[in-house]
Amino acid sequence: MASALAFASSFNVLSQTLHFRKNKQTHRRPSLCVSVSASLEALIFDCDGVILESEHLHRQAYNDAFAHFSVSCSPSQTLNWSPDFYDVLQNQIGGGKPKMRWYFKEHGWPSSTVFRTSPQDDESRAQLIDTLQDWKTERYKEIIKSGTVQPRPGVLRLMDEAKAAGKKLAVCSAATKSSVILCLENLIGLERFQGLDCFLAGDDVKEKKPDPSIYVTASKMLGVSEKDCLVVEDSVIGLQAATKAGMSCVITYTSSTADQDFTDSLAIYPDLSNVRLKDLEFLLQNTVAAS
């Protein structure tokens, strides 16, 4: 009876993943790949978007920078990126400096306290972008260190469950190493951070996600076969990196990635608050093809 109840509980979790975000028409039901011989030996987390929902914090830091330097592309109106606009910008333009450079090319180079008038040459424009980005980076660090930022629901519990069960635990992020270390030390705590079996950042590999190299490297460092690794990601770019590496991947989406196509994921969750390690083990070991 106990094993039957455990199976029913796990089956219910699997079924729930097939009914995510019903009113999001752009989502399709995930196609779950057959994985007969896989067993969960290593759990790998992305950082931004998975351990913390960071994009609104980056947006806040950019807007704080624009206000600090009175950045204005139109008379008497300080630049301020709205949440909806920043989601589009984030999903189409990668990196902070490219975001600003693209925006200023499209909307005109701004006036600011950095320069009395709008910069007209490449050197001055680069200086403006560098100044804004450096200030924004320091502001983002202040926000993370403030103690007001919390990890996403269920993340710490799932990490602790994996460690207690003897699973390998890793974090693989495309962000810079200094940024990821800052986030992990402040959000998961020093003890959990130092207890990771593998930690890789964008600085550690030549190609960024969706290239699979960061996950291939993690598999080798962990000494675990790719098929026995399970990745937790929040975006289609991360999903592509994991699947190209031969790993199964579950998605915990954010407001900025909710409409992306996660067809190739093993399961999709709004967050990890109701996800247990046994559920993920069940998914990896007992997945059946679903349309």
Side-chain angles (χ1 to χ4, degrees):
M1 175 65 75
S3 84
L5 289 174
F7 178 86
S9 174
S10 297
F11 181 79
N12 287 336
V13 171
L14 176 60
S15 300
Q16 288 169 6
T17 68
L18 304 180
H19 297 281
F20 65 97
R21 306 281 289 184
K22 289 183 178 179
N23 30 348
K24 288 286 186 182
Q25 295 181 357
T26 52
H27 275 170
R28 293 182 291 173
R29 293 174 65 190
S31 176
L32 304 180
C33 304
V34 176
S35 182
V36 177
S37 60
S39 61
L40 179 53
E41 300 297 333
L43 189 59
I44 306 176
F45 289 84
D46 179 30
C47 185
D48 284 1
V50 172
I51 294 176
L52 78 160
E53 194 162 356
S54 56
E55 292 313 321
H56 70 289
L57 304 178
H58 285 292
R59 184 183 68 86
Q60 177 185 336
Y62 277 115
N63 286 337
D64 288 349
F66 299 151
H68 179 78
F69 291 103
S70 300
V71 176
S72 178
C73 295
S74 59
S76 303
Q77 186 172 355
T78 301
L79 178 59
N80 187 286
W81 284 339
S82 69
D84 289 343
F85 178 78
Y86 190 79
D87 283 350
V88 174
L89 196 62
Q90 171 65 19
N91 290 325
Q92 293 184 358
I93 310 293
K97 292 183 181 181
K99 282 186 183 72
M100 288 189 286
R101 190 172 293 110
W102 177 88
Y103 186 89
F104 295 147
K105 284 182 179 179
E106 291 292 316
H107 298 273
W109 286 87
S111 60
S112 67
T113 57
V114 180
F115 296 103
R116 291 184 178 274
T117 58
S118 303
Q120 300 299 312
D121 58 85
D122 291 343
E123 183 179 354
S124 297
R125 289 171 176 175
Q127 184 180 342
L128 172 64
I129 296 256
D130 289 345
T131 301
L132 293 174
Q133 185 65 29
D134 288 346
W135 197 95
K136 176 264 174 185
T137 298
E138 292 306 311
R139 175 60 182 142
Y140 180 75
K141 290 178 180 179
E142 290 175 0
I143 295 171
I144 294 296
K145 292 177 180 178
S146 68
T148 61
V149 180
Q150 298 297 319
R152 293 191 66 193
V155 169
L156 300 186
R157 174 188 46 73
L158 198 52
M159 284 184 168
D160 292 343
E161 285 185 7
K163 268 295 183 182
K167 310 298 183 184
K168 297 291 182 68
L169 192 61
V171 171
C172 293
S173 171
T176 61
K177 179 161 287 188
S178 60
S179 174
V180 183
I181 289 174
L182 175 73
C183 290
L184 294 180
E185 287 182 344
N186 284 275
L187 291 172
I188 73 172
L190 194 58
E191 183 176 351
R192 287 191 187 90
F193 178 41
Q194 293 177 340
L196 293 175
D197 297 290
C198 174
F199 162 59
L200 292 171
D203 316 55
D204 296 314
V205 291
K206 291 182 179 179
E207 301 294 333
K208 299 289 184 70
K209 302 173 186 179
D211 186 273
S213 57
I214 194 167
Y215 288 126
V216 172
T217 302
S219 174
K220 293 177 180 178
M221 291 180 65
L222 291 167
V224 175
S225 171
E226 291 90 343
K227 69 180 177 61
D228 296 323
C229 297
L230 183 62
V231 176
V232 185
E233 276 281 1
D234 71 300
S235 70
V236 70
I237 289 176
L239 170 62
Q240 290 169 349
T243 54
K244 287 177 183 177
M247 298 180 181
S248 295
C249 179
V250 297
I251 294 293
T252 172
Y253 58 83
T254 67
S255 58
S256 62
T257 64
D259 290 326
Q260 294 182 5
D261 182 4
F262 298 128
T263 301
D264 294 329
S265 65
L266 193 64
I268 304 169
Y269 306 102
D271 60 52
L272 301 173
S273 57
N274 294 317
V275 181
R276 313 295 298 206
L277 183 67
K278 65 180 181 180
D279 302 324
L280 299 181
E281 290 179 304
F282 179 85
L283 283 169
L284 193 61
Q285 295 171 359
N286 301 281
T287 300
V288 295
S291 58

PDB file of all heavy atoms in Angstrom, residues 48 173-177 179-180 200-203 208:
ATOM      1  N   ASP A  48      20.980  32.745 -12.230  1.00  0.00           N
ATOM      2  CA  ASP A  48      20.009  33.807 -12.515  1.00  0.00           C
ATOM      3  C   ASP A  48      18.746  33.210 -13.133  1.00  0.00           C
ATOM      4  O   ASP A  48      18.800  32.535 -14.160  1.00  0.00           O
ATOM      5  CB  ASP A  48      20.610  34.831 -13.479  1.00  0.00           C
ATOM      6  CG  ASP A  48      21.609  35.747 -12.796  1.00  0.00           C
ATOM      7  OD1 ASP A  48      21.842  35.569 -11.594  1.00  0.00           O
ATOM      8  OD2 ASP A  48      22.161  36.634 -13.469  1.00  0.00           O
ATOM      9  N   SER A 173      26.381  28.648 -14.326  1.00  0.00           N
ATOM     10  CA  SER A 173      25.768  29.903 -14.745  1.00  0.00           C
ATOM     11  C   SER A 173      26.574  30.546 -15.855  1.00  0.00           C
ATOM     12  O   SER A 173      27.810  30.479 -15.866  1.00  0.00           O
ATOM     13  CB  SER A 173      25.681  30.865 -13.562  1.00  0.00           C
ATOM     14  OG  SER A 173      25.274  32.149 -13.975  1.00  0.00           O
ATOM     15  N   ALA A 174      25.877  31.200 -16.792  1.00  0.00           N
ATOM     16  CA  ALA A 174      26.544  31.913 -17.876  1.00  0.00           C
ATOM     17  C   ALA A 174      27.063  33.277 -17.429  1.00  0.00           C
ATOM     18  O   ALA A 174      27.821  33.922 -18.151  1.00  0.00           O
ATOM     19  CB  ALA A 174      25.591  32.087 -19.056  1.00  0.00           C
ATOM     20  N   ALA A 175      26.682  33.718 -16.236  1.00  0.00           N
ATOM     21  CA  ALA A 175      27.112  35.020 -15.735  1.00  0.00           C
ATOM     22  C   ALA A 175      28.592  34.980 -15.346  1.00  0.00           C
ATOM     23  O   ALA A 175      29.213  33.915 -15.275  1.00  0.00           O
ATOM     24  CB  ALA A 175      26.268  35.418 -14.529  1.00  0.00           C
ATOM     25  N   THR A 176      29.160  36.151 -15.102  1.00  0.00           N
ATOM     26  CA  THR A 176      30.562  36.216 -14.693  1.00  0.00           C
ATOM     27  C   THR A 176      30.736  35.575 -13.319  1.00  0.00           C
ATOM     28  O   THR A 176      29.816  35.575 -12.488  1.00  0.00           O
ATOM     29  CB  THR A 176      31.057  37.667 -14.626  1.00  0.00           C
ATOM     30  OG1 THR A 176      30.278  38.380 -13.650  1.00  0.00           O
ATOM     31  CG2 THR A 176      30.925  38.353 -15.980  1.00  0.00           C
ATOM     32  N   LYS A 177      31.927  35.053 -13.064  1.00  0.00           N
ATOM     33  CA  LYS A 177      32.177  34.333 -11.820  1.00  0.00           C
ATOM     34  C   LYS A 177      31.964  35.224 -10.603  1.00  0.00           C
ATOM     35  O   LYS A 177      31.363  34.788  -9.603  1.00  0.00           O
ATOM     36  CB  LYS A 177      33.598  33.764 -11.829  1.00  0.00           C
ATOM     37  CG  LYS A 177      33.960  33.006 -10.563  1.00  0.00           C
ATOM     38  CD  LYS A 177      35.150  32.091 -10.759  1.00  0.00           C
ATOM     39  CE  LYS A 177      34.775  30.877 -11.582  1.00  0.00           C
ATOM     40  NZ  LYS A 177      35.871  29.871 -11.641  1.00  0.00           N
ATOM     41  N   SER A 179      29.998  37.744 -10.216  1.00  0.00           N
ATOM     42  CA  SER A 179      28.571  37.981 -10.020  1.00  0.00           C
ATOM     43  C   SER A 179      27.892  36.770  -9.407  1.00  0.00           C
ATOM     44  O   SER A 179      27.073  36.895  -8.482  1.00  0.00           O
ATOM     45  CB  SER A 179      27.909  38.337 -11.357  1.00  0.00           C
ATOM     46  OG  SER A 179      26.506  38.443 -11.214  1.00  0.00           O
ATOM     47  N   VAL A 180      28.231  35.581  -9.894  1.00  0.00           N
ATOM     48  CA  VAL A 180      27.599  34.362  -9.386  1.00  0.00           C
ATOM     49  C   VAL A 180      28.035  34.092  -7.952  1.00  0.00           C
ATOM     50  O   VAL A 180      27.215  33.718  -7.097  1.00  0.00           O
ATOM     51  CB  VAL A 180      27.931  33.158 -10.284  1.00  0.00           C
ATOM     52  CG1 VAL A 180      27.204  31.909  -9.778  1.00  0.00           C
ATOM     53  CG2 VAL A 180      27.526  33.426 -11.726  1.00  0.00           C
ATOM     54  N   LEU A 200      30.595  26.305 -11.875  1.00  0.00           N
ATOM     55  CA  LEU A 200      31.132  26.856 -13.114  1.00  0.00           C
ATOM     56  C   LEU A 200      30.376  28.123 -13.491  1.00  0.00           C
ATOM     57  O   LEU A 200      29.155  28.201 -13.344  1.00  0.00           O
ATOM     58  CB  LEU A 200      31.009  25.844 -14.262  1.00  0.00           C
ATOM     59  CG  LEU A 200      31.879  24.588 -14.183  1.00  0.00           C
ATOM     60  CD1 LEU A 200      31.485  23.600 -15.270  1.00  0.00           C
ATOM     61  CD2 LEU A 200      33.354  24.953 -14.285  1.00  0.00           C
ATOM     62  N   ALA A 201      31.119  29.111 -13.984  1.00  0.00           N
ATOM     63  CA  ALA A 201      30.529  30.368 -14.456  1.00  0.00           C
ATOM     64  C   ALA A 201      30.926  30.582 -15.911  1.00  0.00           C
ATOM     65  O   ALA A 201      31.695  29.806 -16.496  1.00  0.00           O
ATOM     66  CB  ALA A 201      30.987  31.525 -13.590  1.00  0.00           C
ATOM     67  N   GLY A 202      30.405  31.663 -16.484  1.00  0.00           N
ATOM     68  CA  GLY A 202      30.678  31.948 -17.883  1.00  0.00           C
ATOM     69  C   GLY A 202      32.157  32.115 -18.187  1.00  0.00           C
ATOM     70  O   GLY A 202      32.605  31.829 -19.303  1.00  0.00           O
ATOM     71  N   ASP A 203      32.923  32.552 -17.200  1.00  0.00           N
ATOM     72  CA  ASP A 203      34.365  32.736 -17.385  1.00  0.00           C
ATOM     73  C   ASP A 203      35.105  31.420 -17.599  1.00  0.00           C
ATOM     74  O   ASP A 203      36.227  31.407 -18.108  1.00  0.00           O
ATOM     75  CB  ASP A 203      34.987  33.410 -16.148  1.00  0.00           C
ATOM     76  CG  ASP A 203      34.170  34.567 -15.607  1.00  0.00           C
ATOM     77  OD1 ASP A 203      32.979  34.352 -15.314  1.00  0.00           O
ATOM     78  OD2 ASP A 203      34.724  35.667 -15.459  1.00  0.00           O
ATOM     79  N   LYS A 208      29.280  30.465 -24.463  1.00  0.00           N
ATOM     80  CA  LYS A 208      28.167  30.628 -23.528  1.00  0.00           C
ATOM     81  C   LYS A 208      26.962  29.794 -23.988  1.00  0.00           C
ATOM     82  O   LYS A 208      26.872  29.371 -25.130  1.00  0.00           O
ATOM     83  CB  LYS A 208      27.761  32.109 -23.460  1.00  0.00           C
ATOM     84  CG  LYS A 208      28.866  33.050 -22.965  1.00  0.00           C
ATOM     85  CD  LYS A 208      29.142  32.885 -21.497  1.00  0.00           C
ATOM     86  CE  LYS A 208      30.168  33.888 -20.995  1.00  0.00           C
ATOM     87  NZ  LYS A 208      29.655  35.254 -20.955  1.00  0.00           N
TER      88      LYS A 208
END
